[in-house]
């Protein structure tokens, strides 16, 4: 029975272990955190709520967890835009009532780890922080002195992966970690006086303020998890919010309706950490006996809600590659890495573009006019004109194709808005250009 080490028992590592557990592999998951079934784990103030969509649901369906998770998930059918005037407008994600789902990271991780307890060929080693690895021998060494060796090693241990670090010590490994100027801080909104949600729970709430924004996602306990995205330095930045009076004044100026429902926002602002936002791009993902997957290979900013969804899709695609090469794990690793990287490069680009859309464009008149035209095009030709957001979020079309199609659609929408094309002409041109 081939032995595989999976570094990291987070979302992607645990999902991959669940998928591979049903094959002929012996799986050892090396996880630095405590056993959550003994001591529990909390990452309060650090973890942005997850937005689960089609790609993630496919992976959960693959291992039979979708129904159980559904009881812990809240559907969000669109964006609730909180304007500076305190008015709220709604922008649906689709014309046919499709939704993304707000899910707690901890809840999902626990469900995945719990399922692993059903398999005799899977062992999760908790409190084992990896300090070094040999990617050519598939051997890892932990902080407490343990050594684990296997036939293959998969690094699923996040953006600051120890396995990724081992790759950087080899020749001709290209690596880039890039940070954006913004960081984030998590805050909370309790239930109202009746114990209910303070706002519509079936929406992702956005407070767009050009250079910065606040978002809020619903939780099953009738609270909202809010996240402030703000520059680290500058005129309006975390650097400037240095005392309680400045924090209070800033929020009252820009997020008045949030202030009314978040009584503890000032204390939480100083209690919770300010975390950075960055991207990881590297190549190759496969070398020796080792593969990088998920954030270890392609961490992205969270603004399209696709980080976890892309990581889960990685697991499904890797499984397909392994099934096509059942006698050669490393051929499957190579095929996976070569075929998947262009798509993760595309979603990294899309995530940054969506940040600008959420922060700046959702209240822009031209942007809203183009969205209205797009809704008309979808009604006219629903099988032809599928918006980029729907392709990314509600399908499994490769991310690179969604990026290409979205750019083509945007050019045609500009032509319609400028009255150079009619709606039907836009549909026909789109069909012809896609065929080409």
């Amino acid at each position: 029975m081939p032995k595989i080490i999976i570094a990291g028992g987070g979302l992607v590592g645990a999902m991959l272990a669940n998928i591979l557990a049903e094959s002929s592999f012996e799986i050892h998951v090396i996880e630095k955190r405590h056993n959550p079934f003994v001591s529990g784990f909390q990452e309060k103030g650090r973890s942005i709520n997850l937005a689960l969509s089609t790609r993630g649901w496919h992976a959960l369906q693959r291992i039979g967890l979708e129904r159980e998770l559904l009881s812990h998930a809240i559907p969000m059918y669109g964006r609730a835009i909180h304007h500076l005037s305190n008015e709220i407008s709604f922008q649906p994600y689709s014309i046919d009532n499709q939704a993304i789902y707000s899910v707690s990271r901890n809840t999902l991780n626990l469900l995945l780890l719990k399922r692993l307890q059903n398999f005799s060929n899977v062992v999760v080693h908790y409190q084992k922080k990896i300090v070094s690895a040999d990617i050519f021998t598939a051997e890892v060494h932990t902080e407490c002195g343990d050594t684990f060796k296997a036939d293959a090693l998969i690094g699923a241990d996040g953006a600051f992966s120890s396995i990724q670090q081992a790759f950087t010590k080899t020749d001709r490994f290209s690596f880039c970690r890039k940070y954006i100027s913004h960081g984030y801080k998590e805050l909370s909104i309790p239930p109202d006086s009746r114990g209910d949600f303070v706002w519509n729970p079936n929406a992702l709430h956005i407070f767009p303020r050009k250079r910065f924004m606040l978002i809020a996602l619903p939780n099953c306990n009738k609270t909202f998890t809010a996240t402030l995205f703000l520059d680290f330095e500058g005129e309006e930045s975390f650097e400037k919010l240095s005392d309680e009076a400045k924090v209070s004044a800033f929020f009252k100026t820009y997020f008045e309706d949030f202030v009314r429902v978040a009584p503890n926002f000032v204390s939480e602002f100083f209690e919770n950490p300010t975390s950075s936002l960055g991207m990881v791009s590297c190549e190759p993902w496969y070398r020796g006996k080792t593969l990088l997957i998920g954030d270890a290979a392609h961490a992205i900013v969270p603004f399209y809600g696709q980080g976890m969804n892309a990581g889960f899709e990685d697991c499904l695609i890797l499984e397909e590659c392994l099934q096509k090469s059942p006698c050669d794990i490393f051929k499957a690793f190579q095929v996976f890495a070569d075929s998947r990287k262009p798509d993760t490069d595309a979603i990294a680009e899309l995530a940054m573009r969506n940040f600008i859309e959420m922060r700046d464009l959702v209240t822009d008149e031209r942007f809203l006019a183009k969205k209205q035209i797009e809704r008309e095009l979808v009604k006219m030709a629903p099988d032809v004109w599928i918006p980029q957001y729907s392709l990314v979020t509600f399908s499994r079309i490769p991310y690179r194709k969604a990026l290409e199609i979205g750019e083509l659609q945007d050019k045609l929408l500009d032509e319609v808005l400028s009255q150079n094309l009619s709606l039907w002409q836009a549909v026909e041109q789109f069909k012809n250009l896609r065929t080409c």
Side-chain angles (χ1 to χ4, degrees), residues 313-349:
E313 190 173 57
D314 281 357
C315 299
L316 293 175
I317 294 172
L318 178 57
E319 182 188 30
E320 292 170 5
C321 294
L322 287 166
Q323 289 172 343
K324 290 176 182 176
S325 301
C327 299
D328 192 340
I329 293 174
F330 303 118
K331 179 181 178 181
F333 283 3
Q334 186 68 68
V335 170
F336 166 79
D338 290 345
S339 63
R340 184 61 171 162
K341 180 169 170 52
D343 288 316
T344 58
D345 289 345
I347 191 56
E349 173 64 23

Side-chain angles (χ1 to χ4, degrees), residues 302-431:
F303 304 112
Y304 223 120
Q306 286 296 302
M308 175 211 53
N309 291 289
F312 279 8
E313 190 173 57
D314 281 357
C315 299
L316 293 175
I317 294 172
L318 178 57
E319 182 188 30
E320 292 170 5
C321 294
L322 287 166
Q323 289 172 343
K324 290 176 182 176
S325 301
C327 299
D328 192 340
I329 293 174
F330 303 118
K331 179 181 178 181
F333 283 3
Q334 186 68 68
V335 170
F336 166 79
D338 290 345
S339 63
R340 184 61 171 162
K341 180 169 170 52
D343 288 316
T344 58
D345 289 345
I347 191 56
E349 173 64 23
L350 285 163
M352 278 305 302
R353 292 184 188 182
N354 211 47
F355 179 34
I356 297 169
E357 178 174 315
M358 293 170 70
R359 186 192 67 190
D360 298 357
L361 299 181
V362 290
T363 57
D364 179 80
E365 289 185 8
R366 183 175 179 84
F367 172 83
L368 294 173
K370 287 167 73 172
K371 286 297 181 185
Q372 180 58 44
I373 293 169
E374 185 162 68
R375 282 192 287 273
E376 294 302 317
L377 289 167
V378 173
K379 291 176 184 176
M380 287 171 55
D383 296 328
V384 175
W385 193 286
I386 303 172
Q388 183 182 74
Y389 186 89
S390 294
L391 293 173
V392 170
T393 307
F394 304 125
S395 85
R396 286 197 62 198
I397 187 173
Y399 287 124
R400 73 190 102 167
K401 292 294 184 183
L403 177 60
E404 292 169 5
I405 291 169
E407 290 176 342
L408 176 57
Q409 289 174 335
D410 195 56
K411 291 177 182 177
L412 292 172
L413 289 171
D414 281 332
E415 290 294 305
V416 174
L417 191 61
S418 302
Q419 297 184 335
N420 294 326
L421 287 178
S422 69
L423 294 178
W424 278 117
Q425 286 173 326
V427 169
E428 289 303 314
Q429 281 202 26
F430 181 62
K431 283 196 291 188

Side-chain angles (χ1 to χ4, degrees), residues 182-196:
H182 289 67
Y184 72 90
K185 188 180 288 286
E186 195 172 274
L187 305 167
S188 67
I189 302 169
D192 64 17
S193 58
R194 299 167 297 173
D196 203 355

